[in-house]
Amino acid sequence: MDIIVLKPKTTAKELRHIINKLQSRGFEANVSKGTERTVIGVIGDTSKITEDESNAFTSMPGVEKVHRIIQPYKLASREFKPQNTTIRIGKHTIGGKKLHVMAGPCAVEGMSVLVNIARDVKKAGATFIRGGAFKPRTSPYTFQGLGEEGLKILAEAREQTGMPVVTEIMDPRDMDVLLKYADVVQIGARNMQNFRLLSEVGSHNKPILLKRGLSATIKELLMAAEYIMAQGNNKVILCERGIRTFETAMRNTLDLSAVPLLKKLSHLPVLVDPSHAVGQWDLVAPMAKAAIAAGADALMIEVHSKPEEALSDGEQSLKPHKFKTLMKELKTVARAVGRTI
Ligand code: PEP
Ligand code: MN
């Protein structure tokens, strides 16, 4: 038993009674009020619930039926919530008909560089500014990010352009400072299974961009989303950013089939990051178009005014004028699949 579907006219008292009973058995209740009916997601190890106990819940006043979810992810599953989740961020909605493009440099390098890039990508049609202040670098000797200084610069770019800020968290100890400056908190691929970090971001209500781990399966990605949602934060955007395969010609292999599969298994919005998938700027545009055709709700694209001087990921960053051309081309693809951009 994982989901309790309530009758359309269940009273608040009956709901309270069901929740109390769940809590007395050591479970938490995640109440989701839909337009037609309310469902309760049962949080905890539901495999311990016997058939008899499950039947006892079925006969409680206000309960229409109890439902077992076969997948190990529950709150993230479409079975739990059939309708698409939309996430409101400022004046934007992710997961609706309108597609969103989050663009900006890999790392925040300085005030004027970032603000200029932000202006350029906004003019081209991007709706979010991205940039890392805490960078997960393979080598400890390379640029690690500007830390809080970088976040302040992002906040200034938001001030000047109106674009919400997307930036990565690497350490639960930075949560307070991230909450101060970020509009969307990114969990990077390397931290997709950092369970303490997932629980931390789950206990606040900031939207989360959850990147697929370098070698993570779809199930593992959805279980990571479940960690966040189990703490009460349902604002999770799933991100396909390429996975490790035997192929070394590209930085990673963009698993585009993950997009329709995630949309089938989950109600959460799906974003594709072609930049980190391909690792070379000239392959970004075709994969960005393909991602929209595959059903992505949003894209994340790295843009730098001087890629050759970028402190990280310059080789995969588009120059602003190339980004502008791409945005124009994306409009046509979006229209072809019934979306706008
Ligand atoms: C990034 O967005 O710059 C980044 C580090 O991404 P990923 O975690 O997907 O490698
Ligand atoms: Mn990067």
Side-chain angles (χ1 to χ4, degrees), residues 106 130 135-136 168 186 188-190 211 241 273 276 300 302 313:
C106 180
R130 66 140 286 148
K135 293 304 303 176
E168 179 167 353
Q186 176 174 321
R190 290 153 195 82
K211 289 191 148 199
R241 46 75 74 204
D273 168 355
H276 290 87
M300 174 172 262
E302 284 187 341
D313 287 350

Side-chain angles (χ1 to χ4, degrees), residues 228-339:
I228 299 170
M229 299 174 85
Q231 296 300 320
N233 186 350
N234 295 324
K235 298 179 198 161
V236 180
I237 305 163
L238 303 169
C239 170
E240 163 60 37
R241 46 75 74 204
I243 48 172
R244 284 262 164 95
T245 66
F246 59 83
E247 181 58 79
T248 54
M250 280 80 61
R251 184 176 184 182
N252 291 291
T253 298
L254 183 60
D255 178 10
L256 272 185
S257 53
V259 180
L261 182 58
L262 287 169
K263 302 288 298 181
K264 183 164 106 180
L265 299 175
S266 175
H267 51 86
L268 295 170
V270 177
L271 175 148
V272 170
D273 168 355
S275 305
H276 290 87
V278 297
Q280 32 193 311
W281 70 267
D282 54 340
L283 303 184
V284 170
M287 297 322 281
K289 293 175 202 168
I292 291 181
D297 298 297
L299 296 173
M300 174 172 262
I301 296 176
E302 284 187 341
V303 175
H304 199 289
S305 39
K306 288 204 180 104
E308 58 290 350
E309 287 172 21
L311 296 178
S312 69
D313 287 350
E315 58 293 350
Q316 67 194 34
S317 299
L318 294 183
K319 287 186 180 160
H321 74 276
K322 295 260 187 231
F323 177 72
K324 192 172 160 200
T325 308
L326 171 60
M327 287 299 288
K328 276 199 199 123
E329 294 169 352
L330 291 181
K331 273 193 203 312
T332 319
V333 185
R335 204 177 314 123
V337 292
R339 311 287 291 260

